[in-house]
Amino acid sequence: MAASTPGPSTSDRILDAALASFAGRGYEATSLDTVARSLEITKQSILYWFPSKDALLEAVIARSAADLSTALETALRGAGEGWARVEAVVRSVFRLAARQPALLGLLREVSRLGPPAATQMTLALEPLVQRASAFLEAEMDAGNMRRHDPRLLLLAIYSTVIGMVTEVEVLRALGEEPTARSLVRRRADVLELLRSALLIE
Amino acid sequence: MAASTPGPSTSDRILDAALASFAGRGYEATSLDTVARSLEITKQSILYWFPSKDALLEAVIARSAADLSTALETALRGAGEGWARVEAVVRSVFRLAARQPALLGLLREVSRLGPPAATQMTLALEPLVQRASAFLEAEMDAGNMRRHDPRLLLLAIYSTVIGMVTEVEVLRALGEEPTARSLVRRRADVLELLRSALLIE
DNA sequence: CAATCTGTCTACCATTTGGTAAGTGGCTGC
DNA sequence: GCAGCCACTTACCAAATGGTAGACAGATTG
């Protein structure tokens, strides 16, 4: 018989469940009791590891921002130059949408919650933002992309991609069921759209 | 001395305050007591006009969907043909963002809440969606716009415009303060982007 | 083996929440 | 002039919430 599986630590399991609930139902709609029950522990165990609900959110954001960063950094590492880098990032986001949708859901939720949660997320992702902004500007300078305010362009790209990936209800309103197959089509569509919107030639 | 001003009815004032709070703080984070206090009435007065918090949300959605519809219908009424119609709609949305931001905020919130709220909003806005989808398809058939799945294209346009208008925290993360002037720049940018993404030639 | 530390649980608690019940003052219609 | 309705209030309430205090079992360490 194998040794009893150690498995993920309690605090990790709490973070997982909290992430899922914050992303899926929202911060306010998430109760510590419910999270605890889903893990078959008591609320007090949660409060042992994280002194308050706010602190739990903070921890979830910290871990998620790190996960998000490494996912994108990894995608960028072997990505080539120019447009290929945009493609790599978009594909990486769609991969996250398929495999860890809660990560993107949390992004949405945090942006809705505003400070201090949003500020924390902002700070944690700032390096990526800087990089992306600088990249877009360089591409424009090189004459590869149409000229825009890089920050507004980044917001537009962000909104489009995140929307295509997280706006499940709007998708349904449009009569498109959010299946895995649909996700692939959306990825193709978004890439094509971005291409014609941004690329010169 | 003038006659005592009649002013808006209590139920309208409740709807106004509830809309603002649902859109700004979120449904779960909104308490009937707080809304009541802000209106200097009691919670029970709210429950007199709307039998439950859910019913209040329902009423807010109904009224907002109607307002949204008429705003867009009006914009479309004297709008010309082809691309001018897209421009008219986008401008109309940005006008709403400046004058009744809560209307767009509610849209976001409802899409986050999912059914049944989202279903109600979907049904109320379906005519607009149908119209937009048919318009896009016709423009593609006429060879004026690049061919895409009209529904996915609509989702992309929706995400971009709504994002540019409601993603205040992301905007801040990008170092752009959400002022009125910024809104005008964002409108110009989004129109330019959509133009190069969609229009052929 | 005693002392301590770790992780979890039981027992509470104050506050807030959506919601009910029962008035109450004023205006309307008969 | 009074019966009745309308709009709104005071008085409650059960449930749920985030959080505190303290006990307890098991491992660790001197």
Side-chain angles (χ1 to χ4, degrees):
Chain A
M1 200 148 346
S4 73
T5 59
S9 73
T10 301
S11 69
D12 277 336
R13 293 178 60 227
I14 295 173
L15 285 175
D16 289 341
L19 167 61
S21 188
F22 289 160
R25 315 163 47 92
Y27 178 71
E28 295 97 346
T30 295
S31 90
L32 296 184
D33 275 304
T34 310
V35 174
R37 215 171 308 136
S38 82
L39 294 171
E40 293 184 311
I41 61 178
T42 63
K43 168 174 61 180
Q44 284 68 24
S45 292
I46 298 182
L47 290 167
Y48 170 78
W49 291 102
F50 307 95
S52 71
K53 194 185 177 185
D54 276 342
L56 176 57
L57 174 62
E58 211 177 297
V60 168
I61 292 176
R63 202 190 61 168
S64 301
D67 289 354
L68 224 50
S69 288
T70 59
L72 294 187
E73 302 275 10
T74 304
L76 281 173
R77 211 176 310 284
E81 291 298 315
W83 182 253
R85 296 183 83 71
V86 177
E87 269 211 8
V89 168
V90 171
R91 282 175 185 279
S92 158
V93 171
F94 272 82
R95 203 171 315 135
L96 282 177
R99 297 187 191 170
Q100 305 183 65
L103 236 47
L104 303 177
L106 185 77
L107 206 58
R108 248 183 102 77
E109 174 70 0
V110 164
S111 125
R112 178 186 77 92
L113 288 171
T119 314
Q120 188 198 346
M121 183 68 95
T122 295
L123 287 176
L125 297 182
E126 200 187 274
L128 277 176
V129 170
Q130 285 303 328
R131 232 174 122 176
S133 189
F135 166 81
L136 289 176
E137 205 151 13
E139 291 293 312
M140 293 189 235
D141 286 345
N144 299 328
M145 286 188 189
R146 294 182 219 275
R147 187 153 287 289
H148 286 278
D149 180 327
R151 294 178 302 179
L152 294 190
L153 179 56
L154 200 49
L155 173 57
I157 298 175
Y158 170 88
S159 298
T160 310
V161 175
I162 293 291
M164 291 291 273
V165 147
T166 63
E167 287 282 12
V168 189
E169 288 304 328
V170 180
L171 213 57
R172 260 195 262 272
L174 294 167
E176 174 101 6
E177 279 308 304
T179 63
R181 175 150 312 166
S182 152
L183 194 66
V184 175
R185 293 180 49 230
R186 278 177 273 157
R187 185 184 65 193
D189 238 63
V190 105
L191 281 172
E192 209 179 321
L193 263 171
L194 287 179
R195 187 178 220 108
S196 40
L198 303 183
L199 240 45
I200 292 177
E201 213 64 349
Chain B
M1 206 191 251
S4 72
T5 59
S9 72
T10 301
S11 69
D12 278 336
R13 293 177 61 225
I14 295 174
L15 285 174
D16 289 340
L19 168 61
S21 188
F22 289 160
R25 317 164 47 93
Y27 177 71
E28 294 96 346
T30 295
S31 90
L32 297 183
D33 275 304
T34 311
V35 174
R37 215 172 308 135
S38 82
L39 294 172
E40 294 184 308
I41 61 179
T42 63
K43 167 174 59 180
Q44 284 67 23
S45 294
I46 298 183
L47 290 167
Y48 170 77
W49 291 102
F50 308 94
S52 71
K53 195 185 176 184
D54 276 343
L56 176 58
L57 174 61
E58 212 177 295
V60 168
I61 293 176
R63 202 190 60 169
S64 300
D67 288 354
L68 225 49
S69 288
T70 59
L72 293 188
E73 303 273 11
T74 305
L76 280 173
R77 208 175 312 283
E81 291 297 316
W83 182 253
R85 296 182 83 73
V86 177
E87 269 211 7
V89 168
V90 171
R91 284 177 184 279
S92 158
V93 171
F94 272 82
R95 204 171 314 137
L96 281 177
R99 299 188 190 169
Q100 306 184 63
L103 235 46
L104 303 178
L106 185 76
L107 206 58
R108 249 183 102 77
E109 174 69 0
V110 164
S111 125
R112 178 187 78 90
L113 288 172
T119 313
Q120 187 198 346
M121 182 70 95
T122 295
L123 288 177
L125 296 182
E126 201 188 274
L128 277 175
V129 170
Q130 285 303 328
R131 230 173 125 176
S133 190
F135 166 81
L136 289 177
E137 206 151 12
E139 290 293 312
M140 293 189 237
D141 287 344
N144 299 329
M145 286 188 189
R146 294 183 219 275
R147 186 152 287 288
H148 285 278
D149 180 328
R151 295 178 300 179
L152 294 190
L153 179 56
L154 199 49
L155 173 56
I157 299 175
Y158 170 87
S159 298
T160 310
V161 175
I162 292 292
M164 291 292 274
V165 146
T166 63
E167 286 282 12
V168 188
E169 288 304 327
V170 179
L171 213 58
R172 260 196 263 272
L174 293 167
E176 174 100 7
E177 279 308 305
T179 62
R181 175 150 312 165
S182 152
L183 194 65
V184 175
R185 292 181 49 231
R186 277 178 274 155
R187 186 184 63 192
D189 239 62
V190 107
L191 281 172
E192 208 178 320
L193 264 171
L194 288 180
R195 185 178 222 109
S196 41
L198 303 184
L199 240 45
I200 291 177
E201 213 66 346

